[in-house]
Amino acid sequence: MSIITSPMLLGADTGGAYQITRSLRFNSPDSAFCSRVFGSSGSSTWTFSCWAKIGSIEATYKKLFGLNENNGIMIYDNRINLNDDTSNDTTVAYYRDPSAWYHIVVRSNGSANTVWVNNVQQALSSTSCVAGLGINGSVEHRIGKQDFGSTIARAGFNGYLADIHFI
């Protein structure tokens, strides 16, 4: 993982230019990631937001944010995936442009999960995931890394992440 300090222009293709001064570059073979253990368990009402630029379009798991090997928000098979311990919800739309920045927002209101990409609500292939995905508990949460020591080989995120917010 490296910190890019030169300004990057985001959202120029959607009519509005938004400039940031820092982003994180994740390289999937590297072991770098960001993590945090929350002091206490929170509610299943939360919002995650980031700008993401994918580095490759291979069909591997690319974790954006979450906990353990299953729960979280990831890109898999070029679609946004929401996973809990037993099921996953996937966007119908594909995201295959490694030159594009995507503004990804995922919200859990305690009873349902919703995904927006570039300010457009996305249709999900199913809505079987538990609201909250188990996120916001007092366990380690990670940005940019999938593998939590499981026997399942999962790559880290490959690309850029910027303006990451978890509320």
Side-chain angles (χ1 to χ4, degrees), residues 11-27:
D13 57 337
T14 60
Y18 176 66
Q19 186 174 342
I20 61 166
T21 57
R22 288 179 171 63
S23 65
L24 298 172
R25 171 65 168 109
F26 292 89
N27 185 17

Side-chain angles (χ1 to χ4, degrees), residues 29-154:
D30 295 343
S31 60
F33 60 92
C34 299
S35 70
R36 174 161 177 109
V37 176
F38 299 119
S40 62
S41 292
S43 73
S44 59
T45 301
W46 50 260
T47 301
F48 173 82
S49 171
C50 74
W51 283 92
K53 183 176 183 181
I54 56 175
S56 60
I57 57 171
E58 76 275 359
T60 60
Y61 288 92
K62 296 177 271 289
K63 186 101 164 214
L64 297 174
F65 176 71
L67 56 130
N68 67 39
E69 66 187 61
N70 296 321
N71 297 55
I73 304 160
M74 60 190 73
I75 298 174
Y76 176 69
D77 194 22
N78 305 308
R79 297 186 285 177
I80 309 295
N81 261 304
L82 307 179
N83 287 22
D84 64 23
D85 277 329
T86 59
S87 57
N88 67 52
D89 299 336
T90 304
T91 58
V92 175
Y94 287 82
Y95 305 97
R96 296 184 181 120
D97 186 355
S99 68
W101 280 94
Y102 298 105
H103 184 229
I104 300 168
V105 177
V106 179
R107 186 188 88 184
S108 175
N109 66 6
S111 61
N113 303 309
T114 311
V115 178
W116 290 269
V117 177
N118 294 340
N119 207 29
V120 176
Q121 186 172 342
Q122 300 299 300
L124 298 173
S125 60
S126 69
T127 54
S128 58
C129 277
V130 173
L133 309 173
I135 292 175
N136 205 18
S138 57
V139 295
E140 182 182 21
H141 289 62
R142 291 184 177 182
I143 295 173
K145 186 71 171 168
Q146 174 77 14
D147 184 6
F148 280 78
S150 75
T151 57
I152 302 169
R154 309 269 173 120

